[in-house]
């Protein structure tokens, strides 16, 4: 536990709630994509069950424990910790901002093609599965 003291800790309540809602609504492999980061759940039957995997530009950057402790791999960019902190503070608005600025859904990373989706920043199917809003 002493070595975890130096590792960043995040309040993942809101992110965990989003993943739980998405799973409850039938999402098989829910993910959150913001800027260069992609968060996904570790397999339920693996040794990291309950963890959230973090990828940075497609490369594994580390994992976040159920308690919110981020364990980064050595190659992880320093900025990743700050980006995760911002996401953890307000995941929904961070996801919406990402979608509006990139034109891609923050859940499935598909291109947003309809004006209502672009304005919302998240596609309608993902918004419903994550329990964000309906339109």
């Amino acid at each position: 536990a002493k070595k975890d003291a130096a590792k960043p800790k995040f309040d993942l309540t809101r992110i965990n709630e989003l993943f739980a809602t998405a799973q409850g609504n039938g999402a098989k492999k829910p993910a959150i994509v913001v800027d260069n980061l992609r968060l996904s759940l570790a397999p339920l039957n693996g040794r990291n069950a309950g963890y959230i995997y973090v990828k940075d530009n497609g490369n594994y950057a580390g994992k976040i424990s159920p308690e919110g402790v981020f364990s980064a791999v050595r190659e992880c960019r320093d900025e990743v910790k700050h980006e995760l902190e911002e996401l953890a503070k307000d995941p929904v608005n961070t996801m919406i901002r990402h979608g509006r600025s990139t034109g891609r859904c923050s859940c499935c990373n598909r291109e947003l093609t309809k004006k209502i989706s672009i304005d919302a920043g998240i596609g309608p199917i993902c918004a419903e599965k994550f329990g964000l809003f309906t339109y």
Side-chain angles (χ1 to χ4, degrees):
K2 196 172 187 180
K3 67 178 182 174
D4 281 350
K7 293 180 180 176
K9 186 169 181 177
F10 306 108
D11 178 0
L12 295 177
T13 308
R14 293 179 179 150
I15 292 173
N16 286 333
E17 287 170 352
L18 289 171
F19 278 120
T21 299
Q23 285 182 304
N25 288 334
K28 301 225 182 316
K29 292 187 175 185
I32 295 174
V33 179
V34 175
D35 300 322
N36 299 318
L37 302 182
R38 182 179 191 277
L39 279 60
S40 60
L41 297 174
L44 290 174
N45 55 359
R47 66 181 184 146
N48 289 317
Y51 281 73
I52 296 173
Y53 289 151
V54 179
K55 284 191 172 183
D56 179 27
N57 283 314
N59 299 310
Y60 181 71
K63 61 187 175 186
I64 306 171
S65 74
E67 299 77 34
V69 177
F70 178 58
S71 299
V73 296
R74 196 174 4 177
E75 301 81 19
C76 182
R77 290 183 300 123
D78 290 337
E79 297 84 7
V80 168
K81 297 167 189 99
H82 175 70
E83 292 166 14
L84 285 171
E85 185 176 36
E86 291 303 307
L87 177 61
K89 282 182 194 170
D90 190 359
V92 174
N93 283 318
T94 304
M95 292 165 68
I96 290 169
R97 177 194 50 76
H98 168 82
R100 287 177 178 165
S101 68
T102 63
R104 301 192 79 77
C105 179
S106 291
C107 303
C108 66
N109 206 29
R110 289 190 174 118
E111 183 179 359
L112 299 169
T113 55
K114 296 189 169 85
K115 182 175 180 355
I116 192 166
S117 298
I118 295 166
D119 291 345
I122 297 172
I125 294 168
C126 292
E128 188 176 327
K129 280 199 173 163
F130 276 84
L132 300 174
F133 43 81
T134 54
Y135 58 85

